[in-house]
Amino acid sequence: MQREGVQPSNFTLSLLVKLMNRARKLDGAFAIVEEISQKYHFRPNVHVYTNLIQACVANRNLSRGMLTFKKMLKERTRPENRTYAILVRASLAQSQPEQAAGLLRAAIGAPGAEPYVPQDCLSTAPIHNLDAALVAEALQGLTERGHVHDLAVPLMSDVKNYRPQLRIDATTQRRIMSAGMGNASAPAPGNERRYEGFGGGGGRAGGQRRDGA
């Protein structure tokens, strides 16, 4: 392609990253993105970054995927729903529930995203097209892993406060409330306020809504 004078694009890079991922060449995927983007003076877009993150997860390197996520935020490249879906599911699968919850808070613009999102990148992290099904899946995952009071309930409250238009299905809400009622443990320190908002509709914490997108 380069010999024929055809300039690569982000579409080209996305395809190349997918091919490198299938070949299990993670370092090669990163190297080709860096080489081509620098040579042709363009920045990787959200699709390239998300494919790199997918490659990291597929190659059992979630920590590198998180570093790539932070890099894209620092480059002011806003994530998409697929970006969060890959990272949240991988975090739950690899027993990192706090990270999964933090990522979703970043996606809705709620407090508590740090340290998973650097403070100077918080305005780039929220997205408008976050899938309610992904949030419901994560809430159920947190509940099934025994994190009802410390993670699932506070996150559900934050979704209602900061993204009231994002509707979580009634079945998921009932499962969380039922699990919470069956567990007599108290909320984690600092989460008492979030308990008050659970099940209370679409009120806004502190009178403000921080979408950030």
Side-chain angles (χ1 to χ4, degrees), residues 122-161:
L122 290 174
S123 62
T124 308
I127 60 173
H128 285 304
N129 65 336
L130 184 65
D131 189 356
L134 172 62
V135 178
E137 178 186 338
L139 288 168
Q140 291 184 44
L142 293 171
T143 300
E144 291 167 358
R145 288 163 175 79
H147 293 280
V148 182
H149 292 294
D150 60 332
L151 295 177
V153 170
L155 179 59
M156 171 72 84
S157 180
D158 281 344
V159 170
K160 291 185 176 185
N161 288 332

Side-chain angles (χ1 to χ4, degrees), residues 164-211:
Q165 74 275 20
L166 200 159
R167 300 297 180 183
I168 306 302
D169 64 277
T171 300
T172 298
Q173 295 190 52
R174 283 197 299 270
R175 285 178 180 174
I176 294 173
M177 290 195 301
S178 177
M181 291 173 64
N183 187 337
S185 60
N191 286 336
E192 294 85 352
R193 178 189 58 79
R194 289 170 179 170
Y195 255 72
E196 294 172 1
F198 182 64
R204 295 182 294 177
Q208 294 182 349
R209 178 175 149 220
R210 294 197 314 160
D211 283 348

Side-chain angles (χ1 to χ4, degrees), residues 27-62:
D27 289 337
F30 278 90
I32 202 168
V33 168
E34 182 176 1
E35 177 186 346
I36 292 180
S37 62
Q38 289 183 359
K39 181 175 181 179
Y40 291 94
H41 308 291
F42 67 90
R43 294 197 302 178
N45 65 9
V46 60
H47 305 298
V48 175
Y49 275 118
T50 300
N51 284 344
L52 284 173
I53 291 169
Q54 175 67 69
C56 291
V57 171
N59 285 273
R60 302 181 182 276
N61 198 337
L62 177 56

